[in-house]
Amino acid sequence: MSSTHPGGGGTVARSRTGRAMTAAKLMLGWVALLWLIEAVDYATGHALDAYGITAREADGLSAIPLAPFLHFGFDHVASNSVPLLVLGFVTALSGIGRFLAVCAAIVLADGFAVWLISPPHSITAGASGLIFGLFGYLLVRGFVERSPVGVAVAVVIAAVWGTTFLAGALPTDSMVSWQAHLFGLLAGAAVALIARPRPEVAGL
């Protein structure tokens, strides 16, 4: 015998709305923080730029958690703001704790790869490695978890940004860190594979 609970659908809807509001506030605050940090950097004569990841130097390792919050000018922040806001919001809808864990894993894996293989004496900073990581994570997650909504999200972001992101992950002679893009993308995809739900084991 089953029972129904009046208002149950409303509770679920309120929960989803609350989660969306929390995700939106988090990402708006995150992007606002990036702009604030860049304003401080500008006011100090770009003194913060030195705290990016310096390739293969010992103190460059300590910069790995800081680098995604630093940028080389307002144009740099502006180019990262919209994709970070959108991809971060979509990822955070699955839960803030999970979102922060995914971001931490991407930042650490991508940052170490950048430190290891970037050109000597180069300094890398910016949120683009994390952005590419979130793109890779969302692209793979839906298929790994066999979620119709997740697959739909993957298809949409691939249609909107797929060409841009894949091109940005290819080696280039420009000043843009393709290393951060490539390994961010790979790190995000790897996190989606590693963090997939384990199949239930039937009891004996």
Side-chain angles (χ1 to χ4, degrees):
M1 181 176 180
S2 63
S3 61
T4 58
H5 298 277
T11 301
V12 172
R14 285 193 296 272
S15 176
R16 289 175 178 171
T17 301
R19 183 173 291 186
M21 289 295 294
T22 300
K25 290 176 181 178
L26 172 64
M27 295 315 303
L28 286 170
W30 191 318
V31 171
L33 176 62
L34 299 186
W35 282 88
L36 176 60
I37 292 173
E38 186 54 36
V40 172
D41 185 42
Y42 178 80
T44 57
H46 301 288
L48 300 182
D49 291 351
Y51 292 94
I53 301 171
T54 305
R56 290 178 297 288
E57 292 189 10
D59 57 355
L61 289 171
S62 62
I64 288 175
L66 303 177
F69 296 92
L70 305 175
H71 290 81
F72 300 123
F74 289 109
D75 288 345
H76 193 193
V77 182
S79 66
N80 283 335
S81 292
V82 172
L84 177 62
L85 186 63
V86 174
L87 297 176
F89 171 76
V90 174
T91 307
L93 288 175
S94 62
I96 301 303
R98 183 178 184 180
F99 166 73
L100 294 177
V102 168
C103 288
I106 292 170
V107 167
L108 292 176
D110 180 52
F112 182 74
V114 166
W115 177 85
L116 190 62
I117 68 168
S118 290
H121 311 299
S122 63
I123 299 178
T124 303
S128 58
L130 174 59
I131 292 167
F132 273 70
L134 293 176
F135 176 80
Y137 174 77
L138 291 173
L139 204 61
V140 173
R141 185 188 67 176
F143 295 97
V144 168
E145 297 183 357
R146 299 180 182 179
S147 163
V149 174
V151 171
V153 168
V155 171
V156 170
I157 66 169
V160 174
W161 279 312
T163 302
T164 300
F165 276 73
L166 292 178
L170 296 176
T172 176
D173 293 330
S174 72
M175 296 297 291
V176 176
S177 176
W178 62 266
Q179 294 91 343
H181 296 174
L182 174 60
F183 285 96
L185 185 65
L186 295 176
V191 170
L193 290 170
I194 294 170
R196 62 184 174 182
R198 296 180 180 274
E200 295 184 4
V201 178
L204 298 177

